[in-house]
Amino acid sequence: MRTHLRTVIQRKGLFASKFCRAIGTCTLLGLSACQSAPLHLTTSHRPTTPVALAGADPRQTNIKGSINWSARLPPLFSRARELVEQATGTNLSGIQLHLVDDQQINEEVRHETSLLVNSQFENTDFQDHFLASIMENQAGTYAALYNGRHKSVMVSRNLMESYTASLPSEPQVQDAALMALMIHELVHAADDQRFHIHKKRVLSFRASFAQSATFEGHAQWQTRNICSEAGCLAGLDALDNFMFSRNNESSQLTQSVQAISRNVLEYSYIEGEHFIAALAARPNGDALIKHLLRSPPSDPIQVLNPDSFPDTARELRNQKLIRAGTGVAHPWLDKHWVAVDTSPLKGVNLQSDPERRRAAIDGFTRLITAMVALQLYDQSVPDQFPLEVTVLQTDVESTASLFASTLHANTKAADTIFDTVQLRHISDSGIPLTLTLFRTVMRDDSSVPWRTVIGVVGQHVVQIAGFAKSDIEMENYVVRVLAHIRNNSTT
C-alpha cells in the first residue's frame, strides 16, 4: 500500500524524501498561536513550515478536573500585560483579550494562510484545494493566538479546557501556566507594535520557518525572563509539557507522525530560544536582537548558527542554489508547474541526543556551506504529491561525495532497487561535465514507484525524490541543475 510507503519514507534520513507538511499559520503571517493537536502528515499539500504549540489532541483529551479558567484568566491577562509593558517599554492598553469559539479562530487562520498559499500558486483551483487540505486538520486545534490584524489575544473556550485539564492540581501552578501563556502572546503583541512583525512577514515557506524561530524564540526567551522575576517559571514548564506532549504516551501507530511534528515545533521554540539567548549574550546583544526582529533571516539554518548572524554570504550562496534549482529548462519547471522553496530542516530531530545535535549542527553549518530545499508542484493535478528537491554546497569536494553517498544509503530499504552510474554531460554552453548519479526505486503495489536520484559534482549535491514513472526526467533535472551551478560558479 502507498500508505506503507509513506511511512517508510518518513523514517529515512535527514534529507531523504521528507514528507513533513506542517503549516504554521500561527507564526507565518502575524498569528502567534497555541495549537494543541499533533500534526497530520498524510495530506499531500502542506507547506513546510512549523506550527506554534502542540500537545495532546483535544478531541481525545479527558477534561475531567478542568479548572474555572474563564474567571481566572482576565485578571491574569491584565497582570501579564503590565509585566510585558514593563519589560518591553511598550503600551499594550489597546490589546484586548477575546474568549471566542473555534470557528472565529479558524476564520482568522484561514485568512492568514490564504495570503501565503495564494502568493505561491497562480492556479486558483489549486490554491483552493491546497488551502482546504491545510485547513482540514487544523480546524478546532488552536487554544490561543495573537491576532495582528485586530490587535487582540484570541483564546478558544473549547481548547483551553484541554490545556487547563493538563495542568497540575496546585492553584499556584495553574495560575502560573495561564500567566505564561498570556505573557508569551503579549510579547508577540509588543514585538508587533515595536517592529511591525505582522506586516513584515515574508510570503515564503522557506522564510517562514526562520521567521517562526525568530518570533517564537524571542517570545519564549522574553517570557522566561519575565517569569524568572514574576514567579511563573513553573507555569512555563507546564506549558512546555503541554506543547510537546511530554506527559502523554504516544500510540505506536502515531508516534512517528508525532515525532516529526515535535521536531518541527522544537526547532521553532527550543532552537529559536537558543538562537535568541546566544545573540543576547554577545557584546552587542540588544542591538542584534532588535536588528533580527526588524529583519529576520530567510535561511532556517541561520537559527542553528547564532555566532555567524547575520550571515549574508551564506544567504547569497543559498540564492544561487535556488536560482539553479528553479532556473533550468525542464518540463517540471514549465507551464502549469510551480517550484516553491521550503526549509531543508523540516522534520530533523535536534533534541533527543546532545551529541547528535552537536554533530548535526556542525554538519549543517560548517560542512554544508549552503543548502536549500524545493518542492515542485503540478498545479493541474491537485492531489499529486510534490517532487522533493535538495541542493547543497559543501566545504570541499570530498565532503560532497560523502554526503551524496550517505543520502543514497538513506534511501535504501528492503524493497528498493538501487544503482550508481557515471555520466559525461555536455551543457548548453558546451562545457563538459562529469558527474556521479545514485538512483533508487522503492516499489510497492502502486503503479508509480517512489524514485530518488542524487547527483554530485565537485562541492555540489542535488537530490530529487518523488513518485515518478521513469528516472529519465529526474536524471535530466539533476544534470541540468548541476550544469547550471558549474556554469555560473565563481568558487
Side-chain angles (χ1 to χ4, degrees):
M1 295 174 61
R2 185 165 294 186
T3 302
H4 167 69
L5 179 59
R6 293 173 183 159
T7 302
V8 172
I9 291 168
Q10 286 175 345
R11 292 175 179 172
K12 302 310 287 182
L14 288 181
F15 319 117
S17 315
K18 298 175 292 290
F19 267 60
C20 183
R21 305 280 184 271
I23 177 66
T25 53
C26 47
T27 55
L28 285 175
L29 304 170
L31 294 176
S32 170
C34 174
Q35 185 182 16
S36 57
L39 304 179
H40 299 271
L41 306 182
T42 55
T43 303
S44 62
H45 301 305
R46 292 188 182 279
T48 52
T49 51
V51 299
L53 307 179
D57 189 329
R59 291 159 289 194
Q60 301 177 13
T61 300
N62 183 346
I63 62 171
K64 287 188 295 185
S66 59
I67 66 176
N68 184 16
W69 63 270
S70 59
R72 294 160 71 173
L73 190 60
L76 292 171
F77 175 82
S78 297
R79 176 57 179 154
R81 187 166 54 188
E82 293 174 0
L83 292 171
V84 175
E85 285 179 331
Q86 294 169 7
T88 62
T90 56
N91 181 351
L92 299 177
S93 60
I95 307 299
Q96 301 301 310
L97 174 66
H98 292 160
L99 308 185
V100 300
D101 297 327
D102 288 338
Q103 184 58 35
Q104 293 171 265
I105 291 181
N106 295 340
E107 289 173 359
E108 187 64 24
V109 172
R110 176 179 288 276
H111 169 80
E112 298 292 347
T113 306
S114 68
L115 297 177
L116 175 63
V117 170
N118 295 347
S119 74
Q120 302 296 299
F121 305 105
E122 57 197 26
N123 184 305
T124 55
D125 290 338
F126 188 87
Q127 291 172 358
D128 293 342
H129 184 90
F130 200 108
L131 180 61
S133 67
I134 290 171
M135 294 303 300
E136 180 181 0
N137 289 316
Q138 305 301 308
T141 65
Y142 290 85
L145 60 81
Y146 166 65
N147 185 330
R149 284 201 303 158
H150 301 297
K151 309 301 181 185
S152 65
V153 174
M154 302 173 72
V155 174
S156 164
R157 295 185 180 93
N158 181 42
L159 269 294
M160 281 299 287
E161 293 290 340
S162 298
Y163 176 43
T164 55
S166 73
L167 299 176
S169 59
E170 297 87 346
Q172 297 89 340
V173 176
Q174 294 171 355
D175 284 351
L178 294 173
M179 176 83 78
L181 177 59
M182 293 298 97
I183 290 173
H184 180 102
E185 301 302 337
L186 286 162
V187 170
H188 286 301
D191 286 346
D192 192 27
Q193 182 166 307
R194 292 184 297 166
F195 305 107
H196 309 291
I197 63 176
H198 180 75
K199 294 180 180 179
K200 291 182 178 179
R201 302 269 179 166
V202 177
L203 297 178
S204 157
F205 295 157
R206 172 176 175 263
S208 67
F209 229 73
Q211 290 175 346
S212 174
T214 295
F215 299 136
E216 297 301 339
H218 184 252
Q220 283 291 89
W221 176 78
Q222 190 79 71
T223 299
R224 195 173 305 279
N225 289 342
I226 293 172
C227 279
S228 294
E229 296 187 4
C232 55
L233 280 179
L236 187 57
D237 290 340
L239 180 57
D240 286 345
N241 289 334
F242 181 72
M243 288 163 55
F244 301 114
S245 305
R246 287 168 179 157
N247 292 337
N248 299 323
E249 293 185 6
S250 296
S251 161
Q252 186 175 4
L253 296 176
T254 62
Q255 60 185 357
S256 62
V257 173
Q258 291 172 346
I260 294 175
S261 304
R262 189 176 297 113
N263 294 343
V264 173
L265 299 178
E266 288 177 342
Y267 165 80
S268 185
Y269 281 82
I270 298 176
E271 295 300 334
E273 186 178 356
H274 287 164
F275 180 47
I276 298 296
L279 293 184
R282 287 167 60 174
N284 58 338
D286 185 60
L288 282 172
I289 291 175
K290 289 178 179 177
H291 171 67
L292 173 73
L293 294 171
R294 289 190 182 99
S295 182
S298 296
D299 182 11
I301 294 176
Q302 173 72 90
V303 173
L304 305 182
N305 193 11
D307 291 344
S308 72
F309 177 78
D311 194 345
T312 55
R314 180 179 180 116
E315 182 55 20
L316 289 174
R317 294 192 294 271
N318 287 335
Q319 290 301 321
K320 289 182 179 180
L321 298 187
I322 291 175
R323 287 195 294 272
T326 60
V328 298
H330 192 277
W332 292 338
L333 296 173
D334 195 15
K335 296 181 180 178
H336 45 74
W337 284 79
V338 64
V340 297
D341 50 323
T342 70
S343 171
L345 291 174
K346 48 187 182 288
V348 176
N349 184 351
L350 294 172
Q351 302 301 323
S352 62
D353 184 321
E355 288 298 325
R356 292 183 64 183
R357 177 182 181 274
R358 282 190 286 271
I361 292 177
D362 182 63
F364 280 121
T365 60
R366 183 177 64 83
L367 300 179
I368 297 175
T369 59
M371 183 178 180
V372 298
L374 304 168
Q375 290 176 316
L376 311 182
Y377 287 91
D378 183 352
Q379 295 181 94
S380 67
V381 189
D383 288 322
Q384 182 171 294
F385 273 83
L387 296 160
E388 303 275 356
V389 176
T390 301
V391 188
L392 61 88
Q393 176 180 334
T394 63
D395 56 346
V396 294
E397 293 187 6
S398 59
T399 304
S401 296
L402 177 60
F403 267 102
S405 299
T406 302
L407 292 176
H408 181 51
N410 284 341
T411 66
K412 299 175 184 178
D415 52 355
T416 58
I417 303 171
F418 54 91
D419 63 1
T420 304
V421 298
Q422 281 198 323
L423 296 179
R424 183 173 173 79
H425 171 73
I426 304 298
S427 69
D428 295 338
S429 60
I431 300 176
L433 186 72
T434 301
L435 66 153
T436 302
L437 288 181
F438 302 87
R439 303 181 296 198
T440 305
V441 181
M442 185 181 293
R443 298 192 180 277
D444 63 352
D445 60 0
S446 61
S447 59
V448 180
W450 179 268
R451 299 177 184 272
T452 304
V453 175
I454 302 165
V456 56
V457 173
Q459 295 170 244
H460 293 91
V461 178
V462 176
Q463 172 181 280
I464 185 168
F467 292 107
K469 294 181 180 179
S470 167
D471 286 331
I472 296 175
E473 286 189 322
M474 279 192 167
E475 292 177 13
N476 181 264
Y477 175 83
V478 169
V479 170
R480 286 184 174 273
V481 172
L482 287 170
H484 183 285
I485 292 172
R486 177 56 60 93
N487 294 345
N488 293 276
S489 176
T490 59
T491 59

mmCIF file with all atom_site columns, all heavy atoms in Angstrom, residues 465-478:
data_model
loop_
_atom_site.group_PDB
_atom_site.id
_atom_site.type_symbol
_atom_site.label_atom_id
_atom_site.label_alt_id
_atom_site.label_comp_id
_atom_site.label_asym_id
_atom_site.label_entity_id
_atom_site.label_seq_id
_atom_site.pdbx_PDB_ins_code
_atom_site.Cartn_x
_atom_site.Cartn_y
_atom_site.Cartn_z
_atom_site.occupancy
_atom_site.B_iso_or_equiv
_atom_site.pdbx_formal_charge
_atom_site.auth_seq_id
_atom_site.auth_comp_id
_atom_site.auth_asym_id
_atom_site.auth_atom_id
_atom_site.pdbx_PDB_model_num
ATOM 1   N N   . ALA A 1 465 ? 13.396 13.547 -5.335  1.00 0.00 ? 465 ALA A N   1
ATOM 2   C CA  . ALA A 1 465 ? 12.679 12.335 -4.953  1.00 0.00 ? 465 ALA A CA  1
ATOM 3   C C   . ALA A 1 465 ? 11.188 12.554 -5.136  1.00 0.00 ? 465 ALA A C   1
ATOM 4   O O   . ALA A 1 465 ? 10.684 13.662 -4.939  1.00 0.00 ? 465 ALA A O   1
ATOM 5   C CB  . ALA A 1 465 ? 12.994 11.954 -3.510  1.00 0.00 ? 465 ALA A CB  1
ATOM 6   N N   . GLY A 1 466 ? 10.503 11.493 -5.511  1.00 0.00 ? 466 GLY A N   1
ATOM 7   C CA  . GLY A 1 466 ? 9.062  11.587 -5.659  1.00 0.00 ? 466 GLY A CA  1
ATOM 8   C C   . GLY A 1 466 ? 8.510  10.414 -6.433  1.00 0.00 ? 466 GLY A C   1
ATOM 9   O O   . GLY A 1 466 ? 9.248  9.527  -6.881  1.00 0.00 ? 466 GLY A O   1
ATOM 10  N N   . PHE A 1 467 ? 7.187  10.395 -6.567  1.00 0.00 ? 467 PHE A N   1
ATOM 11  C CA  . PHE A 1 467 ? 6.534  9.357  -7.360  1.00 0.00 ? 467 PHE A CA  1
ATOM 12  C C   . PHE A 1 467 ? 6.721  9.698  -8.837  1.00 0.00 ? 467 PHE A C   1
ATOM 13  O O   . PHE A 1 467 ? 6.291  10.764 -9.297  1.00 0.00 ? 467 PHE A O   1
ATOM 14  C CB  . PHE A 1 467 ? 5.038  9.284  -7.022  1.00 0.00 ? 467 PHE A CB  1
ATOM 15  C CG  . PHE A 1 467 ? 4.773  8.773  -5.633  1.00 0.00 ? 467 PHE A CG  1
ATOM 16  C CD1 . PHE A 1 467 ? 4.334  9.636  -4.633  1.00 0.00 ? 467 PHE A CD1 1
ATOM 17  C CD2 . PHE A 1 467 ? 4.960  7.430  -5.318  1.00 0.00 ? 467 PHE A CD2 1
ATOM 18  C CE1 . PHE A 1 467 ? 4.088  9.176  -3.354  1.00 0.00 ? 467 PHE A CE1 1
ATOM 19  C CE2 . PHE A 1 467 ? 4.718  6.969  -4.040  1.00 0.00 ? 467 PHE A CE2 1
ATOM 20  C CZ  . PHE A 1 467 ? 4.282  7.829  -3.054  1.00 0.00 ? 467 PHE A CZ  1
ATOM 21  N N   . ALA A 1 468 ? 7.377  8.819  -9.578  1.00 0.00 ? 468 ALA A N   1
ATOM 22  C CA  . ALA A 1 468 ? 7.642  9.061  -10.994 1.00 0.00 ? 468 ALA A CA  1
ATOM 23  C C   . ALA A 1 468 ? 7.689  7.736  -11.739 1.00 0.00 ? 468 ALA A C   1
ATOM 24  O O   . ALA A 1 468 ? 8.170  6.725  -11.213 1.00 0.00 ? 468 ALA A O   1
ATOM 25  C CB  . ALA A 1 468 ? 8.958  9.811  -11.173 1.00 0.00 ? 468 ALA A CB  1
ATOM 26  N N   . LYS A 1 469 ? 7.198  7.735  -12.968 1.00 0.00 ? 469 LYS A N   1
ATOM 27  C CA  . LYS A 1 469 ? 7.166  6.510  -13.774 1.00 0.00 ? 469 LYS A CA  1
ATOM 28  C C   . LYS A 1 469 ? 8.553  6.124  -14.280 1.00 0.00 ? 469 LYS A C   1
ATOM 29  O O   . LYS A 1 469 ? 8.829  4.959  -14.520 1.00 0.00 ? 469 LYS A O   1
ATOM 30  C CB  . LYS A 1 469 ? 6.216  6.687  -14.953 1.00 0.00 ? 469 LYS A CB  1
ATOM 31  C CG  . LYS A 1 469 ? 4.754  6.838  -14.552 1.00 0.00 ? 469 LYS A CG  1
ATOM 32  C CD  . LYS A 1 469 ? 3.860  6.993  -15.767 1.00 0.00 ? 469 LYS A CD  1
ATOM 33  C CE  . LYS A 1 469 ? 2.402  7.130  -15.346 1.00 0.00 ? 469 LYS A CE  1
ATOM 34  N NZ  . LYS A 1 469 ? 1.494  7.308  -16.527 1.00 0.00 ? 469 LYS A NZ  1
ATOM 35  N N   . SER A 1 470 ? 9.428  7.124  -14.446 1.00 0.00 ? 470 SER A N   1
ATOM 36  C CA  . SER A 1 470 ? 10.745 6.872  -15.029 1.00 0.00 ? 470 SER A CA  1
ATOM 37  C C   . SER A 1 470 ? 11.798 7.722  -14.347 1.00 0.00 ? 470 SER A C   1
ATOM 38  O O   . SER A 1 470 ? 11.496 8.797  -13.809 1.00 0.00 ? 470 SER A O   1
ATOM 39  C CB  . SER A 1 470 ? 10.712 7.170  -16.532 1.00 0.00 ? 470 SER A CB  1
ATOM 40  O OG  . SER A 1 470 ? 11.998 7.227  -17.079 1.00 0.00 ? 470 SER A OG  1
ATOM 41  N N   . ASP A 1 471 ? 13.052 7.248  -14.401 1.00 0.00 ? 471 ASP A N   1
ATOM 42  C CA  . ASP A 1 471 ? 14.178 8.015  -13.883 1.00 0.00 ? 471 ASP A CA  1
ATOM 43  C C   . ASP A 1 471 ? 14.617 9.110  -14.845 1.00 0.00 ? 471 ASP A C   1
ATOM 44  O O   . ASP A 1 471 ? 15.351 10.019 -14.455 1.00 0.00 ? 471 ASP A O   1
ATOM 45  C CB  . ASP A 1 471 ? 15.390 7.101  -13.638 1.00 0.00 ? 471 ASP A CB  1
ATOM 46  C CG  . ASP A 1 471 ? 15.227 6.215  -12.422 1.00 0.00 ? 471 ASP A CG  1
ATOM 47  O OD1 . ASP A 1 471 ? 14.528 6.628  -11.496 1.00 0.00 ? 471 ASP A OD1 1
ATOM 48  O OD2 . ASP A 1 471 ? 15.809 5.122  -12.413 1.00 0.00 ? 471 ASP A OD2 1
ATOM 49  N N   . ILE A 1 472 ? 14.209 9.026  -16.101 1.00 0.00 ? 472 ILE A N   1
ATOM 50  C CA  . ILE A 1 472 ? 14.808 9.860  -17.137 1.00 0.00 ? 472 ILE A CA  1
ATOM 51  C C   . ILE A 1 472 ? 14.651 11.346 -16.842 1.00 0.00 ? 472 ILE A C   1
ATOM 52  O O   . ILE A 1 472 ? 15.618 12.116 -16.879 1.00 0.00 ? 472 ILE A O   1
ATOM 53  C CB  . ILE A 1 472 ? 14.210 9.512  -18.517 1.00 0.00 ? 472 ILE A CB  1
ATOM 54  C CG1 . ILE A 1 472 ? 14.576 8.077  -18.892 1.00 0.00 ? 472 ILE A CG1 1
ATOM 55  C CG2 . ILE A 1 472 ? 14.720 10.494 -19.575 1.00 0.00 ? 472 ILE A CG2 1
ATOM 56  C CD1 . ILE A 1 472 ? 13.925 7.594  -20.179 1.00 0.00 ? 472 ILE A CD1 1
ATOM 57  N N   . GLU A 1 473 ? 13.418 11.778 -16.534 1.00 0.00 ? 473 GLU A N   1
ATOM 58  C CA  . GLU A 1 473 ? 13.212 13.202 -16.277 1.00 0.00 ? 473 GLU A CA  1
ATOM 59  C C   . GLU A 1 473 ? 13.888 13.639 -14.983 1.00 0.00 ? 473 GLU A C   1
ATOM 60  O O   . GLU A 1 473 ? 14.344 14.777 -14.875 1.00 0.00 ? 473 GLU A O   1
ATOM 61  C CB  . GLU A 1 473 ? 11.721 13.518 -16.249 1.00 0.00 ? 473 GLU A CB  1
ATOM 62  C CG  . GLU A 1 473 ? 11.071 13.508 -17.625 1.00 0.00 ? 473 GLU A CG  1
ATOM 63  C CD  . GLU A 1 473 ? 9.654  14.032 -17.607 1.00 0.00 ? 473 GLU A CD  1
ATOM 64  O OE1 . GLU A 1 473 ? 8.934  13.735 -16.636 1.00 0.00 ? 473 GLU A OE1 1
ATOM 65  O OE2 . GLU A 1 473 ? 9.271  14.736 -18.547 1.00 0.00 ? 473 GLU A OE2 1
ATOM 66  N N   . MET A 1 474 ? 13.931 12.732 -14.001 1.00 0.00 ? 474 MET A N   1
ATOM 67  C CA  . MET A 1 474 ? 14.643 13.049 -12.762 1.00 0.00 ? 474 MET A CA  1
ATOM 68  C C   . MET A 1 474 ? 16.133 13.261 -13.034 1.00 0.00 ? 474 MET A C   1
ATOM 69  O O   . MET A 1 474 ? 16.736 14.235 -12.559 1.00 0.00 ? 474 MET A O   1
ATOM 70  C CB  . MET A 1 474 ? 14.451 11.930 -11.737 1.00 0.00 ? 474 MET A CB  1
ATOM 71  C CG  . MET A 1 474 ? 13.146 11.981 -10.990 1.00 0.00 ? 474 MET A CG  1
ATOM 72  S SD  . MET A 1 474 ? 13.167 10.841 -9.588  1.00 0.00 ? 474 MET A SD  1
ATOM 73  C CE  . MET A 1 474 ? 11.723 11.397 -8.694  1.00 0.00 ? 474 MET A CE  1
ATOM 74  N N   . GLU A 1 475 ? 16.739 12.350 -13.781 1.00 0.00 ? 475 GLU A N   1
ATOM 75  C CA  . GLU A 1 475 ? 18.154 12.469 -14.094 1.00 0.00 ? 475 GLU A CA  1
ATOM 76  C C   . GLU A 1 475 ? 18.421 13.740 -14.884 1.00 0.00 ? 475 GLU A C   1
ATOM 77  O O   . GLU A 1 475 ? 19.406 14.446 -14.634 1.00 0.00 ? 475 GLU A O   1
ATOM 78  C CB  . GLU A 1 475 ? 18.614 11.246 -14.882 1.00 0.00 ? 475 GLU A CB  1
ATOM 79  C CG  . GLU A 1 475 ? 18.609 9.963  -14.075 1.00 0.00 ? 475 GLU A CG  1
ATOM 80  C CD  . GLU A 1 475 ? 18.992 8.760  -14.919 1.00 0.00 ? 475 GLU A CD  1
ATOM 81  O OE1 . GLU A 1 475 ? 19.496 8.959  -16.052 1.00 0.00 ? 475 GLU A OE1 1
ATOM 82  O OE2 . GLU A 1 475 ? 18.813 7.619  -14.460 1.00 0.00 ? 475 GLU A OE2 1
ATOM 83  N N   . ASN A 1 476 ? 17.535 14.039 -15.826 1.00 0.00 ? 476 ASN A N   1
ATOM 84  C CA  . ASN A 1 476 ? 17.694 15.234 -16.634 1.00 0.00 ? 476 ASN A CA  1
ATOM 85  C C   . ASN A 1 476 ? 17.659 16.484 -15.774 1.00 0.00 ? 476 ASN A C   1
ATOM 86  O O   . ASN A 1 476 ? 18.445 17.419 -15.967 1.00 0.00 ? 476 ASN A O   1
ATOM 87  C CB  . ASN A 1 476 ? 16.605 15.280 -17.709 1.00 0.00 ? 476 ASN A CB  1
ATOM 88  C CG  . ASN A 1 476 ? 16.732 16.495 -18.612 1.00 0.00 ? 476 ASN A CG  1
ATOM 89  O OD1 . ASN A 1 476 ? 16.087 17.510 -18.387 1.00 0.00 ? 476 ASN A OD1 1
ATOM 90  N ND2 . ASN A 1 476 ? 17.571 16.382 -19.633 1.00 0.00 ? 476 ASN A ND2 1
ATOM 91  N N   . TYR A 1 477 ? 16.756 16.513 -14.792 1.00 0.00 ? 477 TYR A N   1
ATOM 92  C CA  . TYR A 1 477 ? 16.673 17.666 -13.887 1.00 0.00 ? 477 TYR A CA  1
ATOM 93  C C   . TYR A 1 477 ? 17.958 17.810 -13.076 1.00 0.00 ? 477 TYR A C   1
ATOM 94  O O   . TYR A 1 477 ? 18.542 18.895 -12.998 1.00 0.00 ? 477 TYR A O   1
ATOM 95  C CB  . TYR A 1 477 ? 15.477 17.518 -12.951 1.00 0.00 ? 477 TYR A CB  1
ATOM 96  C CG  . TYR A 1 477 ? 15.383 18.616 -11.908 1.00 0.00 ? 477 TYR A CG  1
ATOM 97  C CD1 . TYR A 1 477 ? 14.797 19.839 -12.205 1.00 0.00 ? 477 TYR A CD1 1
ATOM 98  C CD2 . TYR A 1 477 ? 15.913 18.436 -10.637 1.00 0.00 ? 477 TYR A CD2 1
ATOM 99  C CE1 . TYR A 1 477 ? 14.736 20.859 -11.265 1.00 0.00 ? 477 TYR A CE1 1
ATOM 100 C CE2 . TYR A 1 477 ? 15.853 19.448 -9.685  1.00 0.00 ? 477 TYR A CE2 1
ATOM 101 C CZ  . TYR A 1 477 ? 15.261 20.656 -10.006 1.00 0.00 ? 477 TYR A CZ  1
ATOM 102 O OH  . TYR A 1 477 ? 15.215 21.663 -9.076  1.00 0.00 ? 477 TYR A OH  1
ATOM 103 N N   . VAL A 1 478 ? 18.423 16.722 -12.482 1.00 0.00 ? 478 VAL A N   1
ATOM 104 C CA  . VAL A 1 478 ? 19.636 16.766 -11.653 1.00 0.00 ? 478 VAL A CA  1
ATOM 105 C C   . VAL A 1 478 ? 20.830 17.230 -12.480 1.00 0.00 ? 478 VAL A C   1
ATOM 106 O O   . VAL A 1 478 ? 21.615 18.098 -12.053 1.00 0.00 ? 478 VAL A O   1
ATOM 107 C CB  . VAL A 1 478 ? 19.900 15.391 -11.023 1.00 0.00 ? 478 VAL A CB  1
ATOM 108 C CG1 . VAL A 1 478 ? 21.281 15.344 -10.380 1.00 0.00 ? 478 VAL A CG1 1
ATOM 109 C CG2 . VAL A 1 478 ? 18.829 15.054 -9.989  1.00 0.00 ? 478 VAL A CG2 1
#
